[in-house]
Amino acid sequence: PLLLAGARALGSGGGLPPHEPLEMPSLSPTMTEGNIAAWKKAEGDEIAPGDVLCEIETDKATMDWESVESGYLARIIVQDGAQGVP
């Protein structure tokens, strides 16, 4: 649902810097998809481990998705309110 660009790569010019796609985390052993309730970071924001990227809704709870990497949020591919995100 989003692309996280490495901190060293920002400013490399020409489109997106080298990046790593991040997939929706599984919040339980039975979770196969979730909903994006609201993004807490915007494209271009610097990200540090522990920063809340967005709120994820499941059929049982709403949880924060925390970053485990540092870098920059290059692009949000799945927007607020998206449902059934694998």
Side-chain angles (χ1 to χ4, degrees), residues 11 20 28 33 37-38 48 53 69:
E20 175 183 342
S28 75
E33 62 184 28
L53 301 174
E69 302 284 339

PDB file of all heavy atoms in Angstrom, residues 11 20 28 33 37-38 48 53 69:
ATOM      1  N   GLY A  11      16.705  12.612  -2.779  1.00  0.00           N
ATOM      2  CA  GLY A  11      17.463  13.631  -3.495  1.00  0.00           C
ATOM      3  C   GLY A  11      18.303  13.065  -4.619  1.00  0.00           C
ATOM      4  O   GLY A  11      19.148  13.738  -5.159  1.00  0.00           O
ATOM      5  N   GLU A  20      11.297   0.671  -1.247  1.00  0.00           N
ATOM      6  CA  GLU A  20      10.866  -0.661  -0.854  1.00  0.00           C
ATOM      7  C   GLU A  20       9.356  -0.649  -0.656  1.00  0.00           C
ATOM      8  O   GLU A  20       8.842   0.087   0.181  1.00  0.00           O
ATOM      9  CB  GLU A  20      11.545  -1.050   0.464  1.00  0.00           C
ATOM     10  CG  GLU A  20      11.092  -2.355   1.026  1.00  0.00           C
ATOM     11  CD  GLU A  20      11.748  -2.660   2.363  1.00  0.00           C
ATOM     12  OE1 GLU A  20      12.774  -2.049   2.693  1.00  0.00           O
ATOM     13  OE2 GLU A  20      11.200  -3.499   3.068  1.00  0.00           O
ATOM     14  N   SER A  28      -3.206 -10.546  12.948  1.00  0.00           N
ATOM     15  CA  SER A  28      -3.569 -11.780  13.648  1.00  0.00           C
ATOM     16  C   SER A  28      -3.286 -12.953  12.713  1.00  0.00           C
ATOM     17  O   SER A  28      -3.155 -12.766  11.501  1.00  0.00           O
ATOM     18  CB  SER A  28      -5.051 -11.767  14.054  1.00  0.00           C
ATOM     19  OG  SER A  28      -5.870 -11.985  12.925  1.00  0.00           O
ATOM     20  N   GLU A  33      -7.006  -9.722   5.080  1.00  0.00           N
ATOM     21  CA  GLU A  33      -7.135  -8.390   4.513  1.00  0.00           C
ATOM     22  C   GLU A  33      -7.592  -7.419   5.594  1.00  0.00           C
ATOM     23  O   GLU A  33      -8.037  -7.835   6.656  1.00  0.00           O
ATOM     24  CB  GLU A  33      -8.120  -8.386   3.340  1.00  0.00           C
ATOM     25  CG  GLU A  33      -9.520  -8.784   3.708  1.00  0.00           C
ATOM     26  CD  GLU A  33     -10.440  -8.856   2.511  1.00  0.00           C
ATOM     27  OE1 GLU A  33      -9.971  -9.118   1.384  1.00  0.00           O
ATOM     28  OE2 GLU A  33     -11.636  -8.643   2.703  1.00  0.00           O
ATOM     29  N   ALA A  37      -8.057   2.910   7.531  1.00  0.00           N
ATOM     30  CA  ALA A  37      -8.973   3.880   8.146  1.00  0.00           C
ATOM     31  C   ALA A  37      -8.505   5.298   7.859  1.00  0.00           C
ATOM     32  O   ALA A  37      -9.279   6.125   7.373  1.00  0.00           O
ATOM     33  CB  ALA A  37      -9.076   3.641   9.647  1.00  0.00           C
ATOM     34  N   ALA A  38      -7.243   5.589   8.164  1.00  0.00           N
ATOM     35  CA  ALA A  38      -6.714   6.944   7.961  1.00  0.00           C
ATOM     36  C   ALA A  38      -5.189   6.908   7.961  1.00  0.00           C
ATOM     37  O   ALA A  38      -4.580   6.247   8.799  1.00  0.00           O
ATOM     38  CB  ALA A  38      -7.205   7.874   9.067  1.00  0.00           C
ATOM     39  N   ALA A  48      10.475   7.325  10.932  1.00  0.00           N
ATOM     40  CA  ALA A  48      11.429   6.695  11.848  1.00  0.00           C
ATOM     41  C   ALA A  48      10.769   5.453  12.446  1.00  0.00           C
ATOM     42  O   ALA A  48       9.537   5.368  12.509  1.00  0.00           O
ATOM     43  CB  ALA A  48      11.817   7.664  12.958  1.00  0.00           C
ATOM     44  N   LEU A  53       2.180   4.923  10.740  1.00  0.00           N
ATOM     45  CA  LEU A  53       1.956   5.224   9.334  1.00  0.00           C
ATOM     46  C   LEU A  53       0.474   5.441   9.048  1.00  0.00           C
ATOM     47  O   LEU A  53       0.095   6.392   8.382  1.00  0.00           O
ATOM     48  CB  LEU A  53       2.478   4.083   8.461  1.00  0.00           C
ATOM     49  CG  LEU A  53       3.962   3.762   8.599  1.00  0.00           C
ATOM     50  CD1 LEU A  53       4.303   2.522   7.796  1.00  0.00           C
ATOM     51  CD2 LEU A  53       4.802   4.948   8.176  1.00  0.00           C
ATOM     52  N   GLU A  69      11.106   0.650   9.852  1.00  0.00           N
ATOM     53  CA  GLU A  69      12.236   1.148   9.063  1.00  0.00           C
ATOM     54  C   GLU A  69      12.295   2.671   9.137  1.00  0.00           C
ATOM     55  O   GLU A  69      11.317   3.330   9.466  1.00  0.00           O
ATOM     56  CB  GLU A  69      12.068   0.747   7.596  1.00  0.00           C
ATOM     57  CG  GLU A  69      11.950  -0.725   7.345  1.00  0.00           C
ATOM     58  CD  GLU A  69      13.272  -1.447   7.451  1.00  0.00           C
ATOM     59  OE1 GLU A  69      14.325  -0.794   7.321  1.00  0.00           O
ATOM     60  OE2 GLU A  69      13.241  -2.665   7.660  1.00  0.00           O
TER      61      GLU A  69
END
